[in-house]
């Protein structure tokens, strides 16, 4: 023992020498600089009025060919010295830094007609630093915003027929102040003959519209849709549906279609008990030329749907677009008026922290479908199909085994909404639909505890219906949510959220179905929503069964982790050329699955070919909800109109 211990000690000493010696030797021949202090020159925002006065912003939006916005901005100043001007970086509703600084070009600053030197802050490339000379009363900034001419450059916001102005792209603001304390008056020159809509109100003179003076925070929250083919429709309660389209015939609608939009407005008012705006403008673009969008604002929303929104109303092609307006309208209450405390920031360059998005987006997703059903934008059967599709899709997201739902609220920053190869394992922004399922269960729990006398409607009024007419912001935290729920129906809500939000799970919550009188089942025929999704995507979606989504031309667009398709070696981007000896088609593929026998596949991946066997015999599997009891359950009652 003594001899062994001595040997061990010698070995230990030898190892220490062997490890230390090379490091000392390296130190002898390596220079070692000392870090310099980091100097963030951007002043922190203060909640005081901007002393310079009202900024004047002039935008020329007439170039619909090269799609260049030309900007002149006059910034009044109260004193000489350093001035930092910021382009917005962290954009509300994007949940991530999405400002397109790379498209801001031709920047110049002048004082009294004389150029002033500027420098970009290397620590914040959205910041431009200038030194205001003595005696100056204003600084004039001129620049262009080079909007995308192709989708690979970003979202297309200008076409020969319509445009979308987002003020954060065409303006700068002085650092050091809450943006609600900075007054600004904007004007836009539009193409001749075009009409424009925004939550702002203005005065038109020829092709130019001068908008009211408002604070910079509210300006950024009031985007513009404008176009050649335009029609406003009064929906009541100071709400307007502003429609801009690629073609004039897309503006034609039936009275019943508009009646459903009016009912959406009425149902939202009945749900929340008050409106948090003095007026509200739906900005609806019916187009396949301008880029897609669904973005909330307090007194408006930016929405894009495919051509046929009205013309193909009764077809599956238009069905998927009809959830957009109920969702974005709900955000006026949930997300804009009441906002998670760490998501609210004093300006657009202080980083947002994506907390409580399962309330902000998840409960908005919940109410979007409920209001869609109550207003008739969806039928009840279509809504139940949507729930089944959502739940089944979430169950294929096996990444829930390692990644809690709460962590997906950071996904807009982590992945910047880039495509993913294995989303079922990586997870994406599941707080939307998983949040919906959590709130569906919460409604059923409240209904059971109160014997049907209360539900999540009561939470909506108590939480979002405060301060009638207020279109500022009231922030909240998780404790506020839990306290409001307990006031309605005492329950272990803290444990409820800890279970579903904070921890990995095996499947999506389905208590809303079970307690509500339904269960999720599978059959060979797709429901209305799944069928519409397959038609819109030109694909066969068997993520619920063998674990793959295959386009009608054979290209694989999705593979579920650890599914039969995964185990066979399928990957996104590969292409199925033949199935059981027959040339691939969507019908051939579905017939092979339906046969409930292993499938022989010829697969092309890049420039390589493989023959493989897909060992799966479960047949076609499509989700649907099946009624489990007699009479109305809480889910039936939830979807009934309130007006």
């Amino acid at each position: 023992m003594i001899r062994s211990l001595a040997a061990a000690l010698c070995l230990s000493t030898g190892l220490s020498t062997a490890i230390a010696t090379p490091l000392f030797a390296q130190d002898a021949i390596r220079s070692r600089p000392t870090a310099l202090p980091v100097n963030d020159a951007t002043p922190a925002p203060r909640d005081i009025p901007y002393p310079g006065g009202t900024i004047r912003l002039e935008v020329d939006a007439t170039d619909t060919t090269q799609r260049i916005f030309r900007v002149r901005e006059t910034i009044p100043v109260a004193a000489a010295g350093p001035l930092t001007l910021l382009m917005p970086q962290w954009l509300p509703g994007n949940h991530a830094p999405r400002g397109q600084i790379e498209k801001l070009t031709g920047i110049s600053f002048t004082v009294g007609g004389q150029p002033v030197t500027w420098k970009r802050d290397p620590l914040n490339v959205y910041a431009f630093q200038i030194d205001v000379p003595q005696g100056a009363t204003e600084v004039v900034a001129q620049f262009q915003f080079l909007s995308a001419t192709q989708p690979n450059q970003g979202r297309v916001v200008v076409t020969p027929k319509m445009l979308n102005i987002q003020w954060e792209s065409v303006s700068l603001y002085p650092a050091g102040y809450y943006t609600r304390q900075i007054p600004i008056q904007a004007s836009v020159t539009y193409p001749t003959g075009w009409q424009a809509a925004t939550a702002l109100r203005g005065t038109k003179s020829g092709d130019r519209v001068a908008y009211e003076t408002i604070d910079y925070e509210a300006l950024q929250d009031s985007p513009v849709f404008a176009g050649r083919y335009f029609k406003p429709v009064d929906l009541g309660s100071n709400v307007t549906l502003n429609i801009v389209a690629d073609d004039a015939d897309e503006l034609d609608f039936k009275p019943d279609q508009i009646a459903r939009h009016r009912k959406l407005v009425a149902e939202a008012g009945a749900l929340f008990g008050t409106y948090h705006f003095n007026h509200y403008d739906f900005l609806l673009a019916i187009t396949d030329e301008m880029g897609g969008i669904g973005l909330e604002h307090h007194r408006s929303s930016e929405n894009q749907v495919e051509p046929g929104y009205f013309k193909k109303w009764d077809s599956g092609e238009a069905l998927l677009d009809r959830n957009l307006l109920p969702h974005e309208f709900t955000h006026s209450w949930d997300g804009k008026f009441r906002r998670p405390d760490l998501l609210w920031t004093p300006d657009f360059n202080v980083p947002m922290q994506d907390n409580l998005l399962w309330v902000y987006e998840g409960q908005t997703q919940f109410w979007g479908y409920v209001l869609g059903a109550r207003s008739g934008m969806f039928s009840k059967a279509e809504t139940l199909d949507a729930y089944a599709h959502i739940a089944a899709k979430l169950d294929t997201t096996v990444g829930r085994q390692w990644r809690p739902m709460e962590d997906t609220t950071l996904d807009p920053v982590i992945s910047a909404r880039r495509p993913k190869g294995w989303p079922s394992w990586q997870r994406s922004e599941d707080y939307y639909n998983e949040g919906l399922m959590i709130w569906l269960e919460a409604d059923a729990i409240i209904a059971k505890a109160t014997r049907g006398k209360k539900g999540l409607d009561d939470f909506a009024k108590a939480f979002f219906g405060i301060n009638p007419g207020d279109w500022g912001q009231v922030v909240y935290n998780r404790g506020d949510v839990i306290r409001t729920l307990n006031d309605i129906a005492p329950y272990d809500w803290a444990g409820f959220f800890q279970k579903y939000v904070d921890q990995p799970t095996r499947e999506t919550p389905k208590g809303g179905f079970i307690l509500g009188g339904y269960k999720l089942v599978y059959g060979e025929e797709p429901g209305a929503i799944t069928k519409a999704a397959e038609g819109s995507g030109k694909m066969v979606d068997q993520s619920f069964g063998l674990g793959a989504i295959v386009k009608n031309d054979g290209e694989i667009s999705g593979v579920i982790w650890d599914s039969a398709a995964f185990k066979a070696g399928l990957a996104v981007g590969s292409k199925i050329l033949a199935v059981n000896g027959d040339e691939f088609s969507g019908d051939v593929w579905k017939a092979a699955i339906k046969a409930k026998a292993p499938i022989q596949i010829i697969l092309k991946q890049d420039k390589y070919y493989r023959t493989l066997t897909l060992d799966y015999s479960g047949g076609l599997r499509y989700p649907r909800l099946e009624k489990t009891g007699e009479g109305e359950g809480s889910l039936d009652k939830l979807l009934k109109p309130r007006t």
Side-chain angles (χ1 to χ4, degrees):
M1 286 293 296
I2 295 175
R3 184 175 181 180
S4 297
L5 180 58
L9 287 171
C10 290
L11 180 60
S12 174
T13 304
L15 283 172
S16 298
T17 304
I19 291 171
T21 301
L23 292 178
F24 289 129
Q26 289 175 29
D27 288 345
I29 59 173
R30 291 176 66 190
S31 298
R32 303 175 67 187
T34 300
L36 296 174
V38 175
N39 180 25
D40 185 357
T42 303
R46 296 164 294 164
D47 194 9
I48 59 173
Y50 175 62
T54 300
I55 295 171
R56 300 190 305 278
L57 175 67
E58 302 165 81
V59 180
D60 182 341
T62 58
D63 186 350
T64 61
T65 302
Q66 294 180 308
R67 306 176 183 185
I68 299 168
F69 292 113
R70 292 175 171 84
V71 181
R72 177 185 175 91
E73 186 172 3
T74 304
I75 302 105
V77 293
L83 173 67
T84 298
L85 296 172
L86 300 170
M87 182 184 186
Q89 178 183 12
W90 287 81
L91 308 179
N94 289 260
H95 313 311
R98 291 282 190 271
Q100 299 180 79
I101 188 65
E102 77 283 359
K103 292 183 172 65
L104 204 67
T105 60
I107 302 164
S108 69
F109 299 101
T110 58
V111 171
Q114 299 302 308
V116 176
T117 302
W118 63 270
K119 180 181 179 182
R120 194 188 302 264
D121 187 338
L123 297 179
N124 178 6
V125 296
Y126 289 77
F128 301 91
Q129 300 168 342
I130 63 175
D131 193 20
V132 178
Q134 289 291 335
T137 58
E138 60 184 30
V139 174
V140 176
Q142 292 182 280
F143 52 89
Q144 306 92 40
F145 181 78
L146 309 181
S147 78
T149 57
Q150 291 292 315
N152 62 5
Q153 302 164 17
R155 177 174 165 261
V156 172
V157 297
V158 181
T159 79
K161 300 173 184 177
M162 67 178 68
L163 62 80
N164 175 201
I165 294 176
Q166 296 176 313
W167 298 105
E168 66 267 15
S169 299
V170 293
S171 63
L172 304 173
Y173 68 94
Y177 306 89
Y178 281 30
T179 50
R180 68 187 180 204
Q181 295 274 22
I182 303 171
I184 186 166
Q185 188 272 315
S187 64
V188 181
T189 302
Y190 295 103
T192 299
W194 286 28
Q195 295 183 67
T198 169
L200 303 174
R201 296 298 180 256
T203 303
K204 187 172 184 179
S205 177
D207 296 330
R208 180 177 178 270
V209 178
Y211 293 106
E212 62 192 329
T213 298
I214 201 164
D215 62 83
Y216 189 81
E217 177 184 77
L219 177 79
Q220 192 276 343
D221 199 37
S222 306
V224 177
F225 272 21
R228 180 180 303 167
Y229 305 113
F230 178 95
K231 183 181 288 186
V233 183
D234 182 7
L235 299 182
S237 300
N238 294 317
V239 178
T240 304
L241 176 64
N242 301 281
I243 312 165
V244 60
D246 289 338
D247 300 293
D249 65 349
E250 293 286 353
L251 302 177
D252 294 333
F253 45 73
K254 296 176 181 177
D256 175 65
Q257 294 167 341
I258 295 302
R260 300 182 195 210
H261 289 77
R262 288 197 177 101
K263 190 164 176 58
L264 168 62
V265 174
E267 286 289 344
L271 170 64
F272 296 111
T274 187
Y275 297 104
H276 287 297
F277 46 76
N278 50 359
H279 52 259
Y280 187 95
D281 287 88
F282 284 110
L283 308 178
L284 177 65
I286 305 176
T287 178
D288 57 8
E289 297 180 26
M290 193 165 76
I293 193 169
L295 187 60
E296 67 271 16
H297 301 280
H298 206 138
R299 300 186 297 164
S300 64
S301 57
E302 297 168 279
N303 310 278
Q304 179 271 334
V305 295
E306 291 298 305
Y309 180 76
F310 293 118
K311 292 164 62 177
K312 301 177 181 178
W313 184 271
D314 294 324
S315 72
E317 296 176 61
L319 181 60
L320 299 179
D321 280 331
R322 294 213 292 273
N323 179 244
L324 181 59
L325 297 188
H327 179 100
E328 301 304 341
F329 192 41
T330 298
H331 269 312
S332 181
W333 292 265
D334 184 0
K336 301 307 294 185
F337 172 60
R338 296 231 57 180
R339 196 174 306 180
D341 52 3
L342 301 182
L343 263 173
W344 182 89
T345 56
D347 71 4
F348 302 117
N349 291 73
V350 172
M352 299 173 184
Q353 299 178 57
D354 289 347
N355 70 322
L356 292 165
L357 281 178
W358 43 274
V359 183
Y360 180 127
E361 294 289 3
Q363 196 169 134
T364 294
Q365 190 80 327
F366 169 85
W367 288 123
Y369 278 100
V370 170
L371 289 174
R374 291 179 183 178
S375 64
M377 299 287 280
F378 286 99
S379 68
K380 178 184 175 183
E382 289 164 345
T383 306
L384 294 176
D385 278 344
Y387 288 154
H389 181 88
I390 287 168
K393 277 287 188 182
L394 288 168
D395 276 350
T396 69
T397 308
V398 292
R400 67 177 57 254
Q401 298 170 18
W402 70 270
R403 189 178 185 189
M405 193 270 281
E406 172 77 351
D407 190 61
T408 73
T409 65
L410 300 175
D411 214 65
V413 180
I414 294 169
S415 68
R417 294 179 172 169
R418 291 183 292 265
K420 296 182 176 181
W422 303 100
S424 63
W425 186 240
Q426 293 166 281
R427 299 196 81 172
S428 188
E429 298 177 34
D430 289 353
Y431 52 85
Y432 278 89
N433 281 332
E434 189 102 343
L436 180 158
M437 296 300 295
I438 288 171
W439 290 110
L440 202 61
E441 183 165 326
D443 177 75
I445 289 171
I446 294 171
K448 181 180 178 182
T450 62
R451 297 184 179 180
K453 293 180 181 179
K454 294 183 180 180
L456 210 61
D457 285 59
D458 298 275
F459 175 88
K461 281 190 177 67
F463 199 73
F464 300 112
I466 61 174
N467 303 358
D470 182 357
W471 54 281
Q473 304 95 30
V474 178
V475 299
Y476 64 87
N477 56 35
R478 187 185 291 204
D480 296 323
V481 175
I482 291 170
R483 278 190 292 274
T484 305
L485 286 167
N486 274 318
D487 287 343
I488 295 163
Y491 186 74
D492 181 15
W493 294 110
F496 176 80
F497 293 129
Q498 184 179 42
K499 174 184 175 182
Y500 287 138
V501 174
D502 301 330
Q503 299 175 359
T505 55
R506 301 299 300 179
E507 60 179 321
T508 193
K510 299 189 184 69
F513 298 160
I514 297 166
L515 295 173
Y518 289 85
K519 65 178 178 180
L520 182 66
V521 298
Y522 292 85
E524 288 191 347
E525 295 299 322
I529 298 299
T530 307
K531 186 176 181 179
E534 284 191 325
S536 174
K538 297 179 174 59
M539 63 183 181
V540 176
D541 186 354
Q542 278 300 291
S543 53
F544 324 105
L546 60 83
I549 303 170
V550 182
K551 294 183 180 179
N552 292 344
D553 64 357
E555 182 183 343
I556 298 170
S557 60
V559 177
I560 304 303
W561 189 269
D562 233 10
S563 66
F566 177 89
K567 292 172 181 175
L570 273 59
V572 170
S574 302
K575 191 168 186 177
I576 301 174
L577 303 179
V579 179
N580 292 337
D582 293 326
E583 183 180 16
F584 179 89
S585 72
D587 289 339
V588 167
W589 178 238
K590 291 179 82 168
I593 299 171
K594 196 171 182 178
K596 297 185 178 181
I599 305 169
Q600 302 299 314
I601 296 173
I602 297 177
L603 190 72
K604 182 178 184 290
Q605 186 171 7
D606 301 323
K607 58 183 179 180
Y608 304 101
Y609 295 79
R610 288 186 291 147
T611 301
L612 55 89
T613 299
L614 204 165
D615 188 12
Y616 175 78
S617 57
L620 291 170
R621 295 185 85 236
Y622 288 109
R624 71 176 191 277
L625 289 186
E626 185 176 273
K627 187 79 171 164
T628 57
E630 298 294 328
E632 282 191 327
S634 62
L635 185 50
D636 299 307
K637 293 176 182 177
L638 176 68
L639 301 180
K640 290 180 68 174
R642 301 303 196 252
T643 62

